[in-house]
Amino acid sequence: MQDTAAIRHDWTEDEVRALFELPFNDLLFRAQTVHRQYFNPNEVQVSTLLSIKTGACPEDCKYCPQSGHYNTGLEKERLMQVEKVLEKARAAKASGSTRFCMGAAWKHPAEKDMPYVIEMVKGVKALGLETCMTLGMLDQGKADRLAEAGLDYYNHNLDTSPEFYDKIITTRSYQDRLDTLHHVRESGMKICSGGILGMGETATDRIGLLRQLANLPQQPESVPINMLVKVKGTPLENAEDLDKFDFIRTIAVARIMMPASHVRLSAGREQMSDEMQAMTFFAGANSIFYGECLLTTPNPETHRDLQLFKRLGINPEQRISEADETQEQAIMRDLQKEQDSASFYEA
Ligand code: SAM
Ligand code: DTB
Ligand code: SF4
């Protein structure tokens, strides 16, 4: 019997490089072994994304179709009305999602927008969905107010290594990102933080990103790994294609370094074959964005995802933490799970 992989916060560059340099099969076997110590290998968590405020962002992130610095032809939209957001959340729940993630193209939320955003959190939570938001930088006061409203997760990506960061974004610093993550932690919310691959970063930058995430005082509960979606009009529209095996390797290394975190196969699935996605699940990815649109770019059609799950024998992960349940609740959960799986596939 193998010892359970420890959650470590002292990963060195050499150690992580050694993982990346393992033969592919050895790396995947190791990642899958760790994965099974912490998770059911046949369950994938399912989240739905909604852009609640689109485009005209003051930041200059070179990958992003929503930055006001580039002309990507995107239609700008003001903050969506609360009722419209709730309508989308109801639809996400009906299609089998368990978490609803709301994203805004802001540097940080303005004071005048906070009451609306708080209403959205309360309303989505009341539907029985987990709530997640990504609104840019947060000071401690705003983080505390969102936590108080019941926000479960805050997404704030480190995106790449500290060394490569200013080649991609100049309007904020790596330290700004770390400060927001600190405020989110202090407020008691769960952290969703990851990065993007395929922006021209080196292997050392990927190592740097994963070390930053894993060596945080507490690892993020959710780690989205995005493959760059190349959008016309952004400075990265002609970025060189990433070697797909390097993408899968990065998922496997993230799984080994952050054994208890959900690793999300995030943007870029539309550009991946079913076989590649299956390989990332084997490498330890256990969460996806589900629904035809990410924030502004396409995601696979839901029926294609349902078919893929069915072909692979994967079930959508249910939401209640078993540690918090009474015996009666556990029985109810198992019953509900059977019904939900059946209706998920019928959807
Ligand atoms: N404005 C907020 C922020 O940047 O923190 C929240 C929304 S922003 C769109 C959320 C994340 O989406 C970014 O941190 C980035 O990792 C990811 N993202 C944006 N454009 C992308 C693209 N073209 N390909 C892959 N990921 C992308
Ligand atoms: C994350 O890491 N990826 C999501 C979510 N967090 C907010 C966003 C992906 C955006 C892809 C480009 C777009 O659709 O605009
Ligand atoms: Fe704005 Fe976020 Fe896009 Fe950067 S990633 S331009 S902060 S919406």
Side-chain angles (χ1 to χ4, degrees):
M1 184 72 189
Q2 201 147 5
D3 287 342
T4 303
I7 299 175
R8 293 178 42 200
H9 304 272
D10 58 354
W11 288 94
T12 66
E13 185 174 326
D14 286 348
E15 280 177 311
V16 183
R17 194 180 301 282
L19 289 176
F20 272 101
E21 287 175 357
L22 283 172
F24 191 72
N25 286 342
D26 289 347
L27 174 61
L28 258 62
F29 179 71
R30 192 158 155 194
Q32 176 67 203
T33 305
V34 170
H35 190 48
R36 283 166 184 264
Q37 292 169 355
Y38 284 85
F39 291 101
N40 175 337
N42 303 309
E43 275 187 0
V44 168
Q45 190 276 329
V46 174
S47 297
T48 295
L49 264 179
L50 175 70
S51 180
I52 57 169
K53 187 268 168 185
T54 307
C57 183
E59 305 279 44
D60 69 352
C61 313
K62 287 197 171 63
Y63 48 77
C64 187
Q66 303 202 66
S67 167
H69 296 256
Y70 321 121
N71 186 2
T72 59
L74 186 73
E75 204 159 312
K76 305 175 195 97
E77 283 167 39
R78 303 159 82 97
L79 184 62
M80 204 179 255
Q81 286 182 342
V82 177
E83 192 39 51
K84 183 97 190 283
V85 173
L86 298 185
E87 209 178 282
K88 298 273 186 190
R90 275 184 218 107
K93 185 173 186 202
S95 76
S97 241
T98 56
R99 189 177 309 158
F100 194 64
C101 308
M102 294 157 269
W106 286 327
K107 185 181 186 73
H108 51 71
E111 191 47 51
K112 70 171 173 40
D113 294 319
M114 286 299 286
Y116 299 101
V117 161
I118 283 171
E119 279 313 299
M120 290 173 196
V121 174
K122 290 184 176 162
V124 173
K125 214 175 161 66
L127 297 174
L129 284 161
E130 283 183 317
T131 50
C132 175
M133 279 187 166
T134 180
L135 314 172
M137 288 188 231
L138 292 183
D139 58 23
Q140 194 60 59
K142 288 202 174 89
D144 290 345
R145 283 155 71 194
L146 289 170
E148 212 169 291
L151 187 60
D152 297 303
Y153 287 81
Y154 196 76
N155 165 255
H156 201 65
N157 291 340
L158 292 177
D159 278 339
T160 189
S161 67
E163 295 75 22
F164 193 56
Y165 200 75
D166 62 6
K167 308 280 179 309
I168 300 296
I169 300 147
T170 68
T171 49
R172 59 170 185 247
S173 69
Y174 212 75
Q175 191 57 48
D176 290 333
R177 294 306 262 188
L178 292 170
D179 289 348
T180 291
L181 290 181
H182 178 70
H183 299 145
V184 173
R185 243 331 152 219
E186 286 289 300
S187 75
M189 287 187 282
K190 296 190 185 105
I191 289 184
C192 172
S193 186
I196 309 181
L197 308 186
M199 302 190 293
E201 73 285 349
T202 61
T204 306
D205 291 318
R206 283 176 213 139
I207 293 169
L209 167 68
L210 294 183
R211 283 184 65 220
Q212 286 289 329
L213 294 167
N215 292 347
L216 285 169
Q218 195 181 335
Q219 296 184 344
E221 283 78 4
S222 166
V223 180
I225 305 290
N226 297 278
M227 191 171 81
L228 176 71
V229 180
K230 297 179 204 173
V231 179
K232 205 164 174 327
T234 63
L236 291 179
E237 68 171 302
N238 295 316
E240 211 170 301
D241 271 340
L242 180 74
D243 179 336
K244 293 199 165 66
F245 293 121
D246 284 344
F247 184 87
I248 299 165
R249 274 194 184 92
T250 308
I251 298 255
V253 175
R255 165 52 63 227
I256 293 167
M257 293 172 74
M258 293 172 275
S261 306
H262 278 79
V263 175
R264 180 172 308 118
L265 174 59
S266 303
R269 289 199 303 117
E270 177 72 350
Q271 287 74 30
M272 293 176 200
S273 67
D274 286 353
E275 293 77 8
M276 173 163 175
Q277 293 187 57
M279 209 171 252
T280 66
F281 295 141
F282 188 75
N286 61 344
S287 172
I288 58 163
F289 285 122
Y290 175 69
E292 269 114 64
C293 191
L294 288 165
L295 288 173
T296 67
T297 63
N299 199 37
E301 306 252 340
T302 49
H303 67 83
R304 178 178 154 201
D305 283 341
L306 295 181
Q307 268 176 0
L308 180 61
F309 274 20
K310 202 169 184 178
R311 286 164 76 203
L312 299 176
I314 287 176
N315 290 311
E317 183 190 284
Q318 300 304 311
R319 178 177 109 71
I320 311 165
S321 129
E322 293 177 22
D324 295 340
E325 289 174 324
T326 62
Q327 203 180 3
E328 194 181 349
Q329 282 172 323
I331 294 166
M332 289 305 289
R333 172 179 50 80
D334 286 342
L335 280 173
Q336 186 67 42
K337 203 165 175 170
E338 277 172 35
Q339 285 170 8
D340 283 353
S341 299
S343 61
F344 187 84
Y345 287 127
E346 281 156 16

